[in-house]
Amino acid sequence: MASATSDGRKLFDSMIYRELLKKELDAKLGEFEDFRRLRDERVEACIEVLRRLVEFGPGSFGNASYPGAIPSAEVTECAGFAVRGGFEWQNHAEAREWASSVLNSRTTFAADGSQIYLGKEMDLPVGAIQVGWFENPHDASKSYVKQARFEILGPNDLLIPSDENLNPEARVGARRFHAEVEVVREFLFAKKGWRERGERMPVAFFDGTLLISFALPHTKLQQEFAQTMAKLVKDSEVAGVPLVGFVDRSLSRDLIALISHVEPQIVTDGIYDSMLFPVSGAEKPNEFLGWGDRSAFCFSKRKGLEVFVPDGEPSVGFVYLATGSKGLPARIDIPAWIFSEEMLDDLIEVVLAESVVGLGYPYALETADATALISFEDRRVFIEALAGMEAGFEAAAGFGRKEISKARRR
């Protein structure tokens, strides 16, 4: 740690730290290179299986119990898993002009949340959530809505008897999740009937996957999460308003599960679906994506998520979308009804347009995140408000002196 005695000493300590860091990294370099080489070999083997899956044709895996993913007819139509967007712009100004035309007079919506739980700082159970949302009509004659809801959770909320013996912090997270879903649902039904009103298709963004997944066996709380999200997907269909779950760096393995289903002997440890569709700025064959390209739509049929397969038909699918010119694509979870009603291409254009405005990440989600954020300063104010709620509250609540001191000094 750098000393505060003088600038010279800080620099000296920093130099020592950098030397130690370089030494450690040099020692691990061979290990990193071996890992990357092995991973690349596994990815290439998986991509080879993916290419062969084109020959199976749509519907080949519909009767399989839970193969992970079921390719749609797009795989046959495109003779592969890459769907070319065909976007060619000379500069970002041209891209923004295109994005403006896609978003003009179209309402997009996004929600996000953050939370506080003061478990170590005080004896009295207390937490808080803040859910923010951003509704943008993309119309100069109308105002956007950027709003938040703040809710304090006390002992009656956090110490509810349960046979699962849930800790208070888990209850704070659960309340935050349900609050995010609530505001999205409100938007979906508020925009119901958009066609009849002559409006352009609205889109609701959810920050994260629609396929809430946990290790088996599920707890009751986890089952509740999945059921809540499955209902939101159904609400999207009932309202007729598209909903997308945006995951910037996805660790999902639905396609990997399908590959393992076809070739059980293949080694897939450490491999994720997104690695099967690397993004390159240069023109690449096969599964390599360029900006605006995506993978073919696949239905998700994941073991443990039966709630998303009502009557045996998957209610959610996904694509991998290149929202930048390099790196790995984002995963976009999409209710299956959108694909069935041939609204997928329009939806992808909206996601891309929002990503152009947000420089690779949907602007609506970026704004919702900033609106929902509980900053360190907000946390300090919250602690001070609790400490000053009434005379002698510090002692009654059991605030640690260290936390009170930090709240006053920082």
Side-chain angles (χ1 to χ4, degrees), residues 126-160:
V126 61
I129 64 166
Q130 181 161 278
V131 175
W133 63 94
F134 180 55
E135 182 175 337
N136 190 352
H138 294 98
D139 186 332
S141 66
K142 299 178 182 178
S143 300
Y144 63 78
V145 177
K146 187 163 62 172
Q147 190 57 270
R149 293 176 185 170
F150 185 80
E151 180 181 346
I152 293 177
L153 305 176
N156 290 343
D157 304 299
L158 303 178
L159 299 180
I160 305 170

Side-chain angles (χ1 to χ4, degrees), residues 227-407:
Q227 290 166 356
T228 297
M229 188 56 76
K231 185 178 186 306
L232 184 66
V233 170
K234 184 62 178 179
D235 288 338
S236 170
E237 181 177 10
V238 171
V241 177
L243 166 72
V244 298
F246 189 94
V247 187
D248 185 39
R249 295 187 64 84
S250 173
L251 302 181
S252 295
R253 287 167 51 89
D254 294 324
L255 282 169
I256 296 299
L258 176 61
I259 289 169
S260 296
H261 175 77
V262 174
E263 297 284 352
Q265 77 282 1
I266 197 168
V267 180
T268 62
D269 294 348
I271 307 301
Y272 306 104
D273 289 354
S274 58
M275 296 177 182
L276 305 178
F277 306 102
V279 181
S280 172
E283 183 177 348
K284 294 288 184 179
N286 302 321
E287 288 70 31
F288 278 82
L289 304 182
W291 194 98
D293 295 342
R294 64 175 174 87
S295 65
F297 185 84
C298 293
F299 300 92
S300 182
K301 196 174 183 183
R302 192 184 302 173
K303 184 174 178 59
L305 290 181
E306 291 80 2
V307 68
F308 290 99
V309 192
D311 303 320
E313 296 296 326
S315 63
V316 175
F318 62 91
V319 303
Y320 284 88
L321 178 65
T323 60
S325 59
K326 58 183 178 180
L328 295 177
R331 174 171 166 128
I332 316 297
D333 283 353
I334 303 167
W337 71 267
I338 294 172
F339 178 77
S340 299
E341 295 195 14
E342 300 182 353
M343 299 166 65
L344 180 61
D345 288 340
D346 287 345
L347 178 65
I348 293 301
E349 284 200 347
V350 175
V351 177
L352 280 172
E354 282 280 352
S355 298
V356 167
V357 178
L359 300 178
Y361 187 80
Y363 181 74
L365 280 173
E366 183 179 274
T367 307
D369 173 76
T371 305
L373 177 67
I374 298 177
S375 66
F376 187 85
E377 175 63 16
D378 295 332
R379 181 184 177 89
R380 183 188 67 79
V381 171
F382 182 57
I383 291 173
E384 285 187 346
L386 286 172
M389 193 164 59
E390 61 179 82
F393 185 77
E394 283 186 30
F399 267 101
R401 292 185 179 88
K402 179 179 179 181
E403 191 62 31
I404 296 297
S405 175
K406 288 198 298 185

Side-chain angles (χ1 to χ4, degrees), residues 39-52 259 263 266-267 276:
R39 185 189 63 188
D40 289 348
E41 290 173 358
R42 291 176 177 176
V43 168
E44 184 55 42
C46 288
I47 289 177
E48 185 57 39
V49 177
L50 201 66
R51 291 171 183 146
R52 295 208 307 271
I259 289 169
E263 297 284 352
I266 197 168
V267 180
L276 305 178

Side-chain angles (χ1 to χ4, degrees), residues 109-113 131-134 180 183-184 205-207 364-365 368-369 372:
F109 177 92
D112 201 359
V131 175
W133 63 94
F134 180 55
E180 290 179 31
V183 297
V184 174
F205 287 81
F206 186 83
D207 185 29
L365 280 173
D369 173 76

Side-chain angles (χ1 to χ4, degrees), residues 14-26:
S14 177
M15 289 172 62
I16 293 177
Y17 173 77
R18 288 172 184 267
E19 289 176 2
L20 292 173
L21 175 60
K22 185 177 185 306
K23 181 180 179 181
E24 285 296 305
L25 286 176
D26 288 344

